[in-house]
Amino acid sequence: MGVITLTTDLGHRDFYQAALKGSIISQLPNVRLVDISHDIPSFSIQHAAFVINNAYPYFPKNTVHLIGIDTVFQEDSRYLAMAYNGHFFVGADNGIFSIITGEDKPTEMVEINIMQDLRYLHFPLADILTKAACHIADGGKLKDIGIPIENAVQKVTFQPIYNQNSIKGHVTFIDSFGNVISNISKDLFNQVQQGRDFILRFKRNETISNLSWHYNEVAEGEKLCLFGISNFLEIAINKGHASQLLGLYQDETILVEFLDRK
């Protein structure tokens, strides 16, 4: 029995999500459908990529991840299926594949060619992408549904700027608890820190100088920073909404300064 995950910006108000699931079940009745999220902001491929990258490793190998972000048909639209890190990804060629893989190369990637009459192509997510996802989930090969390609559309993402004494990053994601997640990875932090003390500076001249292991390490209402499940540096408030209370929102700048050893 195949597993297909769904990550879309369809929301929960309209019939689109139900139509998507109905299309999949009609083609593959025994499929296991798992919702990752349908609350991605409209057309936000960077938001979607962050969510997918932090969710897909928990799924079994050969899971198919259907990405329904910015899939509306245009004359030059391409839809791709990709094998990467033991999983499969299906979606529009809008840059999201390059964000998911980063500097790595996919094992295999094809441009899907199971297109229907373009005059009736109103819902490519259900009309094209579900067919590809079901084919793969049922054990089918990528080469049977597309033409091999080497490169997908590249999307540039903001990267931290760093030297031997500091890292300048920015806010990339705010979760439903209000935790503020940056683009500073644990690996980069450790690489520059080299065991030194630090000061994390952000909006309103706020600072944090201790790294916590969990959210309850400080008193309720107190701010903290830690590396959470995403392995990126995040700013949080124990039992509080850090984004609102600290005035930290998407793309805000944060700065980590490392202190000279005494």
Side-chain angles (χ1 to χ4, degrees):
M1 184 185 301
V3 179
I4 298 177
T5 75
L6 305 175
T7 304
T8 78
D9 56 6
L10 298 178
H12 299 274
R13 177 181 178 183
D14 301 307
F15 62 87
Y16 306 122
Q17 184 189 143
L20 171 63
K21 292 178 179 179
S23 174
I24 294 172
I25 295 170
S26 294
Q27 297 173 66
L28 203 60
N30 293 324
V31 69
R32 295 177 64 183
L33 282 180
V34 180
D35 296 308
I36 291 181
S37 177
H38 295 285
D39 292 321
I40 304 297
S42 299
F43 312 111
S44 180
I45 63 173
Q46 293 199 21
H47 187 118
F50 182 89
V51 170
I52 293 167
N53 272 341
N54 282 284
Y56 89 80
Y58 289 90
F59 285 85
K61 297 294 186 180
N62 296 317
T63 294
V64 181
H65 304 280
L66 181 56
I67 308 169
I69 310 294
D70 191 20
T71 60
V72 177
F73 178 76
Q74 303 178 55
E75 288 298 327
D76 58 349
S77 294
R78 291 202 313 178
Y79 301 99
L80 308 183
M82 172 180 75
Y84 172 69
N85 200 22
H87 293 250
F88 296 96
F89 301 83
V90 178
D93 186 20
N94 51 24
I96 195 166
F97 289 90
S98 68
I99 302 176
I100 290 172
T101 59
E103 296 181 357
D104 298 332
K105 288 286 187 180
T107 306
E108 184 181 2
M109 185 161 56
V110 300
E111 178 182 352
I112 298 169
N113 62 2
I114 50 176
M115 304 285 280
Q116 66 180 48
D117 190 325
L118 301 185
R119 293 174 299 174
Y120 305 105
L121 193 58
H122 301 300
F123 195 14
L125 182 54
D127 297 331
I128 296 174
L129 298 183
T130 62
K131 295 177 183 177
C134 289
H135 169 83
I136 300 167
D138 200 30
K141 304 297 184 183
L142 295 190
K143 64 181 181 180
D144 296 332
I145 57 170
I147 304 166
I149 60 173
E150 292 293 327
N151 297 301
V153 168
Q154 298 296 301
K155 187 73 173 181
V156 177
T157 58
F158 291 111
Q159 298 298 317
I161 299 171
Y162 64 95
N163 55 39
Q164 63 181 359
N165 292 315
S166 68
I167 305 175
K168 184 179 181 180
H170 78 283
V171 177
T172 59
F173 190 82
I174 297 169
D175 69 17
S176 57
F177 295 96
N179 300 320
V180 178
I181 303 173
S182 76
N183 63 339
I184 300 175
S185 69
K186 186 176 184 179
D187 287 343
L188 176 60
F189 185 94
N190 289 338
Q191 172 190 328
V192 180
Q193 182 189 25
Q194 296 184 1
R196 294 178 291 176
D197 292 336
F198 71 92
I199 299 176
L200 171 59
R201 303 183 186 276
F202 48 97
K203 200 171 181 180
R204 300 176 181 171
N205 295 317
E206 296 272 3
T207 62
I208 301 174
S209 56
N210 292 302
L211 196 61
S212 297
W213 289 99
H214 51 80
Y215 299 101
N216 293 322
E217 197 169 311
V218 300
E220 289 190 16
E222 293 294 321
K223 62 181 182 291
L224 67 140
C225 68
L226 78 168
F227 288 98
I229 190 174
S230 70
N231 269 332
F232 285 91
L233 185 65
E234 63 181 86
I235 299 168
I237 290 179
N238 185 12
K239 300 293 196 302
H241 196 289
S243 176
Q244 293 177 357
L245 293 174
L246 298 174
L248 276 172
Y249 301 99
Q250 194 86 17
D251 297 328
E252 298 272 6
T253 298
I254 67 171
L255 177 67
V256 183
E257 295 178 339
F258 298 98
L259 309 179
D260 291 333
R261 292 185 177 88
K262 297 179 181 179

